[in-house]
Amino acid sequence: MVLLVFAVLLALCICGTATADDLSTMGGNDSNLNQSSGDNQLVDPIIGVKVNYEYPDDVINPEISVKDSNGAKINFTKTYDNAFKGYKLSFDYAGAVNGTKFNITVSAPGYTTQSQMIRVFLNPDNVTDTNLYGSATFNMKATSNYKLGREVTKKANQLLNFGTADKILVITTAGVPKLNGSTTEDCIEGILNGSAGKISYGKGNLLMLRQTAVDPVDFAFIVKKGTNLQVVVFRNGSLKPSYIGTISENMTKTQWNTFVKNVTGENAFAFASLANAWAAGAPADVLREAAFHGHVCEGTLGGYTIVQALLQYYPPIQATSGGPGSPGDITSYKIIGVPGGSDDDAVIYFLDATPGKSGYVGFDTTATGATTNMIGFIRWTDTTYKLVTNTDGTQTYEVKTPGTGSLIIMIYDNEANKKAFMTQYGITSWGNLEELRYNTWLIQKIKTNPGSLVNITMELDSLTEEQYYYIVGSATNVTFPTAVNATNKGQTRFLAQEAHGLDLNYIKSLNLPKATRANNTTNSGSLTYDQIKKIGADAANMAKDIFKSELGIDIEKDDRDLSILTSAGYVRINGQTTEATWDGIYDVLGSRLSRSTLLPIHTGIWKPLWFAFVLRGTDGTTLSTVYLRYNPLNGTFFVGNNSAGAQVNDIGPAALNNATTVSDLSKNFIPDGNWFNIQSIANAWRNDPAFDQLLTFLFHDHACPGVQPGFFITDYIQNNYPLNGNQSYFWMASSIYCKDDGLVYLLGVSPGMETYMNQRLTGEETSSEYLPGGTEEGMIVVWDPDTNTGKVAIISFKWPTYNLDGLVTNEAQREAMISAFISLYKGESSPYISEPLSIVTSEEKYITAEEFARIKAGGTNTASALAFVKGLPVRSLSDLLPNQGNTDNGSQNGQNGGQTGESTSNGSQGTYTDNGITVGSVGNSGPAVSAATQTEVTSQVTGEQSNAYEVSKATTKSEDDGISTVLIVLGTVLIGGLLALGFFKSSIFGFLK
């Protein structure tokens, strides 16, 4: 304490030596201190802000906000002053006087946000100047993840010499995986900024492997020099290379073994297969799909050729013809797969027919004659109805046109293709190196003769509704519409039916007529990268002009309140990929995915190329939007407008709560059938969702409440069933809706990897026995190949109860529910939640390999997979491994270090609430699984003590070590602040010179 007092006194003495001129500049003792414009008179404060970045070569327009000392946000004009080498912030503020403080906050992608309280003062050199001036310098510090991206790129360049390379490729797991407590998109931002433009999304030479939050952050930098590929690999977020050397398909087996030994795990083949396919000229969208799947293989390439054949011979039927794209599709594709062939992932990706949108049905039906390299498509046209007025004046619904479809079954002929390859090159043995060369061979076939890789085995037409629902299933009864007061509205037409998938015996028994092929031809475009890039730049510049002309707004580069939603990257124009438009947009607006400001929405490959420019208003809710669609026939843009002719329209919550506005905008402004996709993701983005949430919305192709249970179920599984050693996850879905896309994207499972299957069951069967009002969503299996055993559990979910007062449209209510889930995922409370959601597990059991196979096959002839699991006996792991002793060690609870409790007969054990979430474990199958490591926090929903859903989402605060620490810190701050006053004059008015 004595030392602290002396230190403060010394600081005061030092500052006391400041000249009178210094004090008057600061308004200290000068009469200027008392000059005021009056409490009610508007004053024009001008604050100069200099922003320096830890990496001096970063050229980023920072986001700056201004608030008064009470926290009220202030609108301001921001201009860059070349002489000052900083930004001038000008605004009006009533009642400002000498010494009034304003809170300036500066943020930039890849950097830690900083705030400073800045005082403003009169200019002592000009007594007639009534403005108040202040100045601040922000020395921005890079986030740890951004520094990792920058430094790993720098190291790779030193080792590989990017400047001498013909081409460069980066493959990384960064994005969803968490490092330093956060998702790792900043690593990608660091790579992009550190490469000096050599690496970009639009060049197709940055690939993000789909990984989970708990996976390590790895990087592989590849350079192509002639025919040779060199790679440097960094693992687990380290700057120390784990491997430097060749990754070419023509490496020796010794070199391959060295590569695999040092890289380890599944990423070794992922890096090698992607790198060699890239070198062989695989299209950029095929490489992105392969990164989603996990690697390049014959299934990936075969699935791509299957899609090409499908679109050639059985394209979507359109409501309108002519013009670019196909916004008027009246048919949809349903994929019927046999998980285990990588082609499933490819067709899901290119057709945007994901499981969560009911676009995919698949479990193991090989017992019926199906094979894993076989895939079926139903091109389905749904039932239409007409309203008939009866003689007695009543009205009745009748079927106008019954639903019908074509059923096409294809295979990629892996045996014939592989045999032809081996014969051509005289190959007699098979291994990873041979597979890399085989992939290159397949890529050349795709370029010259893609049809040779695919066989169409069945082409059937006139599929009926009964047959359709037998294959794909229906959780609820199929009914007549309920829109008007018809006497039979809502009455059942078909009973709910569980899915039977690709049951080949059943399909053969139908004796359907042969379908008739179309023969669409795709133009082969010849646009260069620069020409496609210019399409994006032209769209960005056109949007800027429209914002300026209609709203008087100059759109800044790097504006974090601007997002661009687009189909680019998924759709093609004249057979060419469109990711280069991303670079054009970045050049004009500074928007890209790693900044969460360029949002490519998963779209069918045949759809039109469109862009939606969405500007978040200062109120945080207005979303001023410009919509453009590109016409490849003449290189022009269609510009959307509402019925009054306005080209900028709000699509935020206020607009969504007006039925007339919604009808107008969806019909006239965004007329291509993508209104819901755009407005739902734009409004989700408006609430600043976590990066992994945002990527899932984009994969799902829209935001909705339905996809978000997948986030919480994934967290629950990763916390309570962590993987060890060689273990892996498998999910068998029973209740299938949007949340399945969340599980596929975030849990790292997929049909193509044989780790996701679905067997749609009726709502009656999936009604939870242990969670009243809940649904048994599916079964998680943790499979251990080392012991050839697994652990299965049924996971049930119950929706929260919402408070949606004042919201009169479905769109507004849906937006509020999405907002509530985003808040919950961030550990925040939501005014829209009145009762929390719940997650529980039941029927946790150890299973054998035979039982696992039965689950994959959808159960038995008399019981679904769900019912089969319920009928299994409860055993310990030692029961299944009788010769290995008791290796269970209490692991039946499925968690290391978690708090557990005994299960009770009524299935109500272990439930708790936090932030609108109730989680727990219930059931009668033995010791229950604790929901998470338990940390006491205050519930923001109930105001009562409760346990955190997840430790990482709980806000914790450590105890103070004692008053001495506080005083020392306070003393340091005081000394630093007082010493800083001596430098104040030289900086505060610097921008006036």
Side-chain angles (χ1 to χ4, degrees):
M1 288 294 292
V2 172
L3 288 172
L4 176 62
V5 170
F6 275 117
V8 173
L9 289 174
L10 177 61
L12 289 171
C13 290
I14 292 171
C15 293
T17 62
T19 66
D21 285 342
D22 289 333
L23 291 173
S24 66
T25 299
M26 297 179 291
N29 293 329
D30 193 89
S31 59
N32 287 336
L33 179 64
N34 297 317
Q35 293 184 17
S36 169
S37 301
D39 290 341
N40 297 317
Q41 182 177 343
L42 283 176
V43 180
D44 298 329
I46 301 174
I47 299 176
V49 174
K50 289 187 176 182
V51 180
N52 301 318
Y53 293 106
E54 184 172 347
Y55 290 90
D57 59 338
D58 276 338
V59 181
I60 305 171
N61 181 20
E63 179 182 14
I64 303 177
S65 68
V66 181
K67 294 181 180 179
D68 65 17
S69 57
N70 296 317
K73 192 171 183 179
I74 299 172
N75 295 329
F76 61 92
T77 299
K78 170 184 167 188
T79 57
Y80 187 80
D81 188 305
N82 285 312
F84 174 59
K85 299 189 184 304
Y87 302 90
K88 287 185 179 180
L89 314 181
S90 306
F91 53 95
D92 295 331
Y93 191 81
V97 297
N98 241 12
T100 297
K101 294 186 295 185
F102 295 96
N103 188 359
I104 310 297
T105 300
V106 176
S107 62
Y111 285 84
T112 300
T113 298
Q114 294 184 18
S115 294
Q116 295 185 39
M117 293 298 295
I118 308 300
R119 293 180 184 271
V120 292
F121 300 93
L122 289 167
N123 181 5
D125 298 326
N126 185 354
V127 295
T128 64
D129 186 355
T130 60
N131 294 326
L132 297 170
Y133 297 93
S135 179
T137 297
F138 288 80
N139 293 309
M140 303 295 286
K141 299 299 181 183
T143 66
S144 57
N145 288 339
Y146 181 76
K147 290 178 73 171
L148 174 60
R150 287 288 306 231
E151 295 303 318
V152 80
T153 305
K154 178 181 177 181
K155 187 73 172 179
N157 189 17
Q158 291 171 348
L159 295 170
L160 298 177
N161 194 351
F162 294 166
T164 62
D166 299 330
K167 295 199 304 181
I168 307 168
L169 174 69
V170 179
I171 309 168
T172 180
T173 64
V176 172
K178 292 185 178 180
L179 190 64
N180 304 310
S182 65
T183 52
T184 43
E185 64 272 24
D186 275 2
C187 291
I188 299 172
E189 186 73 8
I191 292 170
L192 295 170
N193 290 347
S195 72
K198 293 181 174 65
I199 300 162
S200 74
Y201 284 112
K203 290 178 179 176
N205 62 348
L206 173 67
L207 299 176
M208 296 168 54
L209 285 173
R210 179 175 56 106
Q211 301 280 281
T212 75
V214 297
D215 284 323
V217 177
D218 296 344
F219 308 92
F221 290 81
I222 300 103
V223 294
K224 182 177 186 293
K225 298 179 180 181
T227 60
N228 186 36
L229 297 181
Q230 291 287 315
V231 66
V232 56
V233 177
F234 303 89
R235 297 182 55 240
N236 298 320
S238 172
L239 291 176
K240 182 180 179 180
S242 63
Y243 175 81
I244 308 171
T246 182
I247 198 175
S248 298
E249 64 180 36
N250 57 6
M251 71 175 85
T252 66
K253 290 187 177 181
T254 300
Q255 289 172 323
W256 172 259
N257 291 335
T258 301
F259 168 70
V260 171
K261 178 182 178 182
N262 287 279
V263 176
T264 73
E266 62 185 16
N267 283 349
F269 187 72
F271 293 155
S273 62
L274 285 164
N276 282 280
W278 163 77
D285 54 355
V286 173
L287 293 174
R288 286 192 294 274
E289 186 284 319
F292 166 82
H293 172 62
H295 56 255
V296 178
C297 60
E298 63 175 349
T300 297
L301 302 172
Y304 168 72
T305 57
I306 283 174
V307 168
Q308 297 302 309
L310 178 71
L311 295 178
Q312 178 179 358
Y313 297 125
Y314 295 97
I317 298 173
Q318 298 174 22
T320 57
S321 59
S326 52
D329 297 340
I330 60 174
T331 56
S332 62
Y333 291 115
K334 301 294 181 183
I335 302 169
I336 320 299
V338 184
S342 302
D343 55 327
D344 292 51
D345 284 355
V347 296
I348 287 171
Y349 185 91
F350 289 113
L351 297 179
D352 184 26
T354 58
K357 295 192 294 292
S358 299
Y360 178 88
V361 177
F363 55 94
D364 186 357
T365 55
T366 54
T368 71
T371 59
T372 57
N373 65 332
M374 180 180 291
I375 195 158
F377 301 90
I378 298 176
R379 185 178 62 177
W380 183 251
T381 305
D382 218 342
T383 303
T384 61
Y385 300 88
K386 60 182 177 181
L387 193 62
V388 176
T389 301
N390 302 315
T391 56
D392 59 0
T394 61
Q395 291 183 310
T396 306
Y397 276 118
E398 292 183 3
V399 173
K400 181 179 179 181
T401 55
T404 187
S406 303
L407 173 58
I408 314 302
I409 298 178
M410 302 189 202
I411 63 169
Y412 65 93
D413 200 340
N414 55 344
E415 291 185 5
N417 293 332
K418 190 174 293 185
K419 183 178 179 180
F421 164 73
M422 296 178 73
T423 299
Q424 180 175 340
Y425 291 99
I427 295 173
T428 57
S429 61
W430 196 261
N432 291 123
L433 286 176
E434 285 74 22
E435 186 165 0
L436 294 178
R437 296 165 190 156
Y438 180 47
N439 289 343
T440 299
W441 184 81
L442 289 171
I443 291 169
Q444 300 312 316
K445 285 286 186 182
I446 289 172
K447 293 178 180 179
T448 57
N449 188 15
S452 65
L453 303 177
V454 176
N455 287 333
I456 302 179
T457 61
M458 289 188 183
E459 301 171 80
L460 307 176
D461 207 2
S462 302
L463 192 72
T464 67
E465 284 185 283
E466 293 95 332
Q467 296 160 352
Y468 172 74
Y469 287 116
Y470 179 90
I471 294 170
V472 304
S474 175
T476 58
N477 295 337
V478 179
T479 62
F480 285 101
T482 58
V484 298
N485 193 29
T487 57
N488 62 341
K489 71 172 185 176
Q491 290 184 10
T492 297
R493 295 182 56 238
F494 297 104
L495 293 174
Q497 165 94 268
E498 75 175 54
H500 292 81
L502 200 62
D503 183 337
L504 212 57
N505 290 331
Y506 170 78
I507 292 170
K508 289 178 178 179
S509 72
L510 298 178
N511 296 317
L512 294 173
K514 184 177 175 59
T516 302
R517 292 185 182 184
N519 193 13
N520 283 5
T521 56
T522 302
N523 295 329
S524 180
S526 58
L527 295 177
T528 65
Y529 160 82
D530 288 332
Q531 289 172 319
I532 298 176
K533 176 182 175 181
K534 186 175 182 297
I535 294 171
D538 289 346
N541 283 314
M542 180 176 287
K544 286 184 64 175
D545 291 342
I546 293 172
F547 277 115
K548 179 65 175 178
S549 63
E550 289 210 1
L551 301 185
I553 295 176
D554 289 310
I555 300 295
E556 289 186 320
K557 189 172 183 179
D558 303 331
D559 189 341
R560 299 178 76 178
D561 285 319
L562 178 74
S563 70
I564 295 87
L565 288 69
T566 180
S567 61
Y570 289 103
V571 303
R572 291 188 171 192
I573 50 174
N574 295 328
Q576 291 185 270
T577 62
T578 51
E579 65 282 338
T581 60
W582 299 341
D583 284 353
I585 291 170
Y586 173 75
D587 283 353
V588 176
L589 297 172
S591 307
R592 58 188 179 201
L593 180 59
S594 54
R595 298 179 174 184
S596 297
T597 52
L598 179 62
L599 308 179
I601 297 180
H602 196 181
T603 309
I605 193 174
W606 68 93
K607 293 281 189 176
L609 174 62
W610 53 259
F611 307 89
F613 298 80
V614 182
L615 181 65
R616 178 169 47 195
T618 55
D619 59 2
T621 59
T622 301
L623 293 178
S624 300
T625 303
V626 172
Y627 179 75
L628 307 175
R629 186 205 316 126
Y630 180 70
N631 185 342
L633 299 179
N634 56 20
T636 62
F637 288 96
F638 160 83
V639 183
N641 56 264
N642 66 7
S643 57
Q647 294 180 334
V648 182
N649 290 277
D650 178 26
I651 63 172
L656 297 183
N657 205 31
N658 185 311
T660 302
T661 301
V662 169
S663 176
D664 180 9
L665 297 181
S666 60
K667 178 181 179 182
N668 300 305
F669 177 53
I670 303 179
D672 296 334
N674 49 350
W675 155 256
F676 174 57
N677 311 75
I678 291 171
Q679 63 87 356
S680 63
I681 291 182
N683 277 282
W685 165 84
R686 178 181 61 82
N687 290 294
D688 296 317
F691 190 66
D692 51 355
Q693 272 188 307
L694 190 58
L695 290 183
T696 308
F697 292 143
L698 295 174
F699 171 70
H700 185 52
D701 90 11
H702 64 267
C704 63
V707 73
Q708 301 195 80
F711 306 154
F712 297 99
I713 292 173
T714 296
D715 275 2
Y716 183 91
I717 291 169
Q718 290 173 340
N719 284 325
N720 294 280
Y721 298 89
L723 298 178
N724 295 301
N726 295 317
Q727 292 176 341
S728 61
Y729 290 128
F730 170 87
W731 178 266
M732 170 61 89
S734 304
S735 174
I736 301 154
Y737 57 95
C738 303
K739 69 97 179 44
D740 285 68
D741 284 354
L743 288 168
V744 165
Y745 200 87
L746 296 177
L747 193 59
V749 296
S750 73
M753 298 182 72
E754 201 178 353
T755 50
Y756 171 92
M757 298 185 184
N758 61 25
Q759 180 186 30
R760 187 183 301 278
L761 303 178
T762 65
E764 181 179 1
E765 184 170 358
T766 57
S767 179
S768 179
E769 302 174 38
Y770 299 111
L771 181 61
T775 302
E776 294 175 340
E777 302 290 355
M779 292 147 279
I780 184 65
V781 175
V782 177
W783 183 251
D784 190 336
D786 295 333
T787 62
N788 209 30
T789 63
K791 181 186 289 183
V792 65
I794 296 172
I795 294 186
S796 296
F797 177 84
K798 181 181 178 182
W799 292 91
T801 301
Y802 300 104
N803 174 20
L804 303 175
D805 294 343
L807 303 178
V808 298
T809 67
N810 290 333
E811 286 82 359
Q813 292 171 358
R814 187 184 298 111
E815 189 280 327
M817 290 186 278
I818 296 168
S819 169
F821 273 113
I822 290 172
S823 295
L824 294 182
Y825 197 62
K826 291 191 285 189
E828 302 170 352
S829 62
S830 171
Y832 299 118
I833 300 290
S834 57
E835 292 184 18
L837 63 83
S838 303
I839 301 173
V840 301
T841 54
S842 60
E843 304 291 345
E844 185 181 289
K845 300 169 181 178
Y846 285 105
I847 58 173
T848 65
E850 182 180 359
E851 291 161 347
F852 188 28
R854 182 53 58 192
I855 292 172
K856 291 181 177 180
T860 66
N861 291 333
T862 57
S864 67
L866 190 70
F868 173 74
V869 167
K870 292 179 180 180
L872 290 174
V874 177
R875 297 157 295 189
S876 67
L877 182 58
S878 59
D879 291 334
L880 303 186
L881 303 171
N883 297 325
Q884 298 185 31
N886 188 351
T887 60
D888 190 357
N889 294 326
S891 62
Q892 179 82 13
N893 62 30
Q895 166 180 327
N896 295 327
Q899 179 179 338
T900 61
E902 296 180 359
S903 62
T904 57
S905 59
N906 61 9
S908 60
Q909 184 271 342
T911 302
Y912 58 85
T913 303
D914 177 66
N915 291 331
I917 307 165
T918 299
V919 289
S921 178
V922 298
N924 55 6
S925 61
V929 178
S930 173
T933 303
Q934 314 248 327
T935 301
E936 291 296 320
V937 297
T938 301
S939 170
Q940 298 178 29
V941 175
T942 64
E944 301 174 352
Q945 285 296 106
S946 64
N947 293 315
Y949 166 66
E950 181 188 355
V951 174
S952 63
K953 287 188 171 56
T955 302
T956 57
K957 186 168 154 182
S958 23
E959 292 292 329
D960 202 308
D961 292 333
I963 191 169
S964 59
T965 302
V966 175
L967 290 174
I968 290 171
V969 173
L970 178 60
T972 303
V973 172
L974 285 171
I975 293 169
L978 291 168
L979 288 173
L981 293 177
F983 300 97
F984 199 44
K985 180 180 178 180
S986 64
S987 63
I988 190 169
F989 298 110
F991 57 86
L992 293 177
K993 297 178 181 178

